[in-house]
Amino acid sequence: MAKSPALPGNPALSQWINECAELCKPDKIRWCNGSDAEYQSLLTLGKADGTLIPLSPKLRPNSYLHRSHPDDTARTEECTFVCTPTKDEAGPTNNWMEPQEAYAGLRKYFEGSMRGRTLYVVPFLMGPVGSAFSRVGIELTDSLYVAVNMRLMTRMGEPALRHLGQGADFTRCLHSTGEFDPKRRAICHFPQDNTIWSYGSGYGGNALLGKKCMALRVASYLGRQEGWMAEHMFVSELTSPDGVTMGFTGAFPSACGKTNSAMLRPAERFRSRGWKVSTLGDDIAWLRPSDAAGGGQLYAVNPENGFFGVLPGTSERTNPHAMQTFSRDSIFTNVALLPDGDVWWEGKTEQPPNQAFDWQGKPWTPDSGRKAAHPNSRFTAALANNPVLSPRCEDASGIPISFIVFGGRRSDTQPLVLESFDWTQGVYLGATLSSETTAAATGKVGVLRRDPMAMLPFCGYNMGQYLAHWLEMGKRLAKPPRIFHVNWFRAGADGKFLWPGYGENIRLYKWMMERCQGKAKAVETPLGWVPPAEAIDLEGSGVSVERFAQAVAVDKKAWLKEAEDHRVFFTRFGSDIPAELLEEHAKLLRRLA
Ligand code: OXD
Ligand code: MN
């Protein structure tokens, strides 16, 4: 059995790796240093064993296609566990397992699971180099696909080992794809041990353990202990023609447009005048209050170093900056392969190709009666590929956040945009966020579910206490960000979207910036402040004043029903639901009366 070379100066790390190697019994252990040369050599290995199919060097330079096991194409929430000594610590919205039982059960899976395979040791840093926000993880994995994706998604190798030094404060991430058998699959989080064990899946959210598992589930737990927050949010900067720049974040459930928002290219009318959005991240934000001397503001970093974005629906029209981001040096997962060596997915072009190989490699034509790409097909690309990346994404201090946007996918009821009355009511808007489910997780698509702060699948502890933590954080901020709620997906009586979305959303972000500056008009509704049509520049949007009014309308009857649903949802948390949120609910009922 292979043994890890001793790591000078870090016995805790060497010992842990050796314990895991003894359990999993790999043939070889390969340390990843994160260099370009190593990345190229891993790609060569991936080509040789069929993990990676090279794409046309002319059309997609240095890019590859990976086809997943057909039973392993999305996050599997039913196999995801938070393992805390008591069930109450995990709360009513997480699957729970007692830690000793979970370790013992998983040990049986991991025992000898890497025989004949290579164990990759992947040290990674989440967060900018030299930042107080940043944390180290070490992933031990038998998946080459994971190793190359982690190279694009994190600061891998040297920066992580330097940050760790001789310390033992790192997230211990053990991963094996096992047999890809959904019946032998478990993604277990041990927040108190700063440990994650994932077995039986190679899918991004289940296997790239720096992402959902560490940077959200474990980090949300650590954030509560240490007074910060780990959130399922994009982080961007908005710049106006007069040179004002504001940081903002947005929490939307998976596959509801975070990547499009993070990289938004403003509609021509605004772009030509100098409106600009720059990206820091598209999926995860780590947020900390600055001390009083720093103004008591909320600061954010993106802990990731790359994108793992959804492809269907992505096109030159909907997200030209994403199209540029993955034009080279990218990995595509479960898309269709074209005869010319390029890739395709539904929505990439208006006209489908005449022929292709579908995401499973089977010949496909538009008449095949099935999708060419998997609905949860993805691209992986480094942050640096993004043409509108903010130069501040490497700032150790993070960026100050002026406003937070919550959003869900609702065809009715929820107005296009509104602003909360204050932080507490904003937390209420986030806590009651609801959305129709998407293909990012296994299970039925299009079912309405409550998804507080878009964190339902990612909160590493009791969600009632998580909501209390949000309220607590607000009290520590002299200048809390304003909170908005959006719903790009509201439909009219004709079944069509009331708002065009994408680059046109700049019209609403402009209003949000102006609200923060105390400049824009708003009218009070029972739900919060809503823009009157005259506060939004609608010229060229194709949206009439009447249609806009429909998009922001509050239907009191529907909202009384909605509020009842909020009440029922809150009862799930028993006494853990903060009293302030119950008071907010009572106030909402009074405003609706
Ligand atoms: C993701 C997700 O992969 O939210 O970002 O599922
Ligand atoms: Mn996500």
Side-chain angles (χ1 to χ4, degrees):
M1 190 207 71
K3 215 167 158 59
S4 164
L7 188 71
N10 201 321
L13 181 53
S14 300
Q15 188 191 333
W16 172 69
I17 296 172
N18 281 328
E19 278 166 18
C20 292
E22 236 161 75
L23 174 65
C24 303
K25 303 191 175 35
D27 275 16
K28 273 196 262 171
I29 296 182
R30 178 168 176 167
W31 275 79
C32 296
N33 61 22
S35 68
D36 286 342
E38 173 188 78
Y39 181 59
Q40 290 308 326
S41 94
L42 291 173
L43 293 173
T44 304
L45 269 180
K47 267 189 287 186
D49 74 5
T51 304
L52 300 170
I53 300 166
L55 297 173
S56 158
K58 207 164 121 241
L59 301 172
R60 298 277 163 188
N62 200 26
S63 297
Y64 295 84
L65 163 65
H66 171 76
R67 293 191 180 120
S68 301
H69 191 284
D71 283 333
D72 188 33
T73 52
R75 283 184 294 98
T76 39
E77 292 176 9
E78 65 284 7
C79 308
T80 302
F81 296 88
V82 170
C83 306
T84 44
T86 64
K87 186 166 171 18
D88 187 56
E89 286 160 280
T93 58
N94 280 313
N95 297 317
W96 173 77
M97 235 194 280
E98 194 282 320
Q100 291 322 314
E101 192 190 318
Y103 281 128
L106 273 176
R107 211 168 265 126
K108 286 191 198 134
Y109 289 174
F110 276 112
E111 174 66 48
S113 67
M114 298 188 190
R115 271 201 191 94
R117 301 183 185 180
T118 298
L119 183 163
Y120 297 92
V121 179
V122 180
F124 60 94
L125 181 68
M126 299 306 284
V129 170
S131 168
F133 281 86
S134 299
R135 302 192 80 103
V136 173
I138 312 282
E139 177 157 359
L140 308 183
T141 177
D142 58 4
S143 162
L144 181 138
Y145 172 77
V146 167
V148 290
N149 274 275
M150 288 294 281
R151 168 60 172 43
L152 296 178
M153 296 295 301
T154 69
R155 295 160 178 91
M156 191 213 257
E158 275 310 307
L161 293 178
R162 239 181 298 121
H163 195 99
L164 179 62
Q166 304 185 350
D169 183 15
F170 59 93
T171 305
R172 288 150 174 78
C173 306
L174 177 61
H175 169 252
S176 172
T177 57
E179 315 75 27
F180 295 102
D181 177 355
K183 292 197 213 71
R184 280 165 57 86
R185 181 173 296 163
I187 300 102
C188 289
H189 304 74
F190 306 87
Q192 280 105 336
D193 300 346
N194 202 357
T195 293
I196 300 152
W197 282 16
S198 167
Y199 188 89
S201 167
Y203 172 74
N206 295 334
L208 310 177
L209 299 186
K211 194 174 179 60
K212 303 301 187 181
C213 299
M214 173 178 165
L216 286 177
R217 296 195 190 95
V218 169
S220 60
Y221 170 85
L222 295 173
R224 176 157 185 254
Q225 310 296 308
E226 299 167 6
W228 54 283
M229 303 159 95
E231 297 297 330
H232 190 204
M233 290 175 167
F234 71 80
V235 187
S236 294
E237 282 177 322
L238 175 63
T239 302
S240 69
D242 46 10
V244 175
T245 293
M246 283 187 183
F248 66 112
T249 65
F252 306 165
S254 307
C256 287
K258 283 201 305 303
T259 306
N260 293 343
S261 307
M263 299 182 184
L264 182 133
R265 184 176 66 166
E268 169 56 27
R269 175 176 168 77
F270 287 74
R271 195 164 72 242
S272 59
R273 289 198 223 141
W275 284 95
K276 193 170 87 177
V277 172
S278 319
T279 319
L280 282 94
D282 77 330
D283 195 42
I284 300 177
W286 283 358
L287 302 144
R288 272 173 194 266
S290 63
D291 54 24
Q297 266 186 290
L298 197 59
Y299 278 69
V301 299
N302 167 21
E304 301 190 279
N305 200 28
F307 304 103
F308 181 66
V310 176
L311 282 165
T314 308
S315 67
E316 287 297 342
R317 182 180 69 82
T318 62
N319 193 342
H321 295 150
M323 297 292 276
Q324 244 173 292
T325 300
F326 51 68
S327 61
R328 62 188 161 83
D329 303 306
S330 299
I331 298 173
F332 295 86
T333 302
N334 296 337
V335 291
L337 178 63
L338 297 176
D340 62 3
D342 200 1
V343 282
W344 192 81
W345 48 85
E346 277 69 17
K348 181 185 173 210
T349 50
E350 264 172 42
Q351 282 302 316
N354 292 333
Q355 50 174 315
F357 293 97
D358 72 6
W359 65 277
Q360 297 192 67
K362 297 185 191 130
W364 178 93
T365 68
D367 302 325
S368 297
R370 60 181 199 278
K371 295 219 186 301
H374 189 279
N376 191 34
S377 50
R378 300 270 178 156
F379 70 92
T380 319
L383 282 191
N385 279 20
N386 177 358
V388 293
L389 189 69
S390 163
R392 299 200 60 189
C393 70
E394 294 295 344
D395 271 17
S397 59
I399 63 161
I401 297 302
S402 300
F403 61 95
I404 293 173
V405 186
F406 291 120
R409 176 188 287 265
R410 291 284 305 260
S411 50
D412 52 29
T413 314
Q414 193 70 54
L416 171 64
V417 62
L418 53 93
E419 180 191 347
S420 73
F421 296 121
D422 54 27
W423 179 266
T424 306
Q425 194 236 346
V427 173
Y428 182 90
L429 293 179
T432 54
L433 195 152
S434 60
S435 195
E436 289 146 26
T437 51
T438 66
T442 54
K444 222 164 161 216
V445 168
V447 180
L448 191 75
R449 78 167 178 182
R450 297 268 155 217
D451 187 350
M453 281 72 177
M455 279 288 279
L456 185 75
F458 307 120
C459 183
Y461 63 102
N462 185 311
M463 200 146 214
Q465 292 162 14
Y466 162 85
L467 296 174
H469 183 49
W470 261 84
L471 294 167
E472 207 43 54
M473 292 292 293
K475 293 181 190 131
R476 290 181 46 191
L477 297 167
K479 280 195 262 167
R482 294 211 183 198
I483 298 181
F484 296 87
H485 189 294
V486 298
N487 174 23
W488 312 133
F489 302 91
R490 192 170 191 183
D494 54 6
K496 295 207 176 104
F497 291 128
L498 287 167
W499 182 252
Y502 307 111
E504 305 295 341
N505 293 341
I506 190 69
R507 299 168 194 270
L508 305 179
Y509 286 129
K510 171 175 179 280
W511 178 74
M512 294 181 207
M513 178 184 257
E514 289 169 353
R515 288 293 295 166
C516 294
Q517 295 169 316
K519 293 205 301 216
K521 266 209 212 153
V523 287
E524 193 174 342
T525 75
L527 310 180
W529 299 102
V530 162
E534 70 266 23
I536 305 289
D537 177 352
L538 289 176
E539 199 177 317
S541 67
V543 178
S544 64
V545 166
E546 294 71 34
R547 224 165 149 81
F548 184 81
Q550 277 179 49
V552 292
V554 176
D555 174 346
K556 282 197 184 174
K557 219 165 122 213
W559 269 94
L560 281 168
K561 225 166 128 239
E562 186 76 9
E564 172 57 12
D565 204 53
H566 296 173
R567 187 193 64 76
V568 172
F569 180 63
F570 282 171
T571 59
R572 279 188 78 182
F573 301 96
S575 60
D576 283 315
I577 197 77
E580 281 127 300
L581 293 185
L582 298 178
E583 277 159 33
E584 277 306 323
H585 180 257
K587 282 196 215 165
L588 172 63
L589 288 181
R590 283 201 291 276
R591 291 194 299 266
L592 286 168

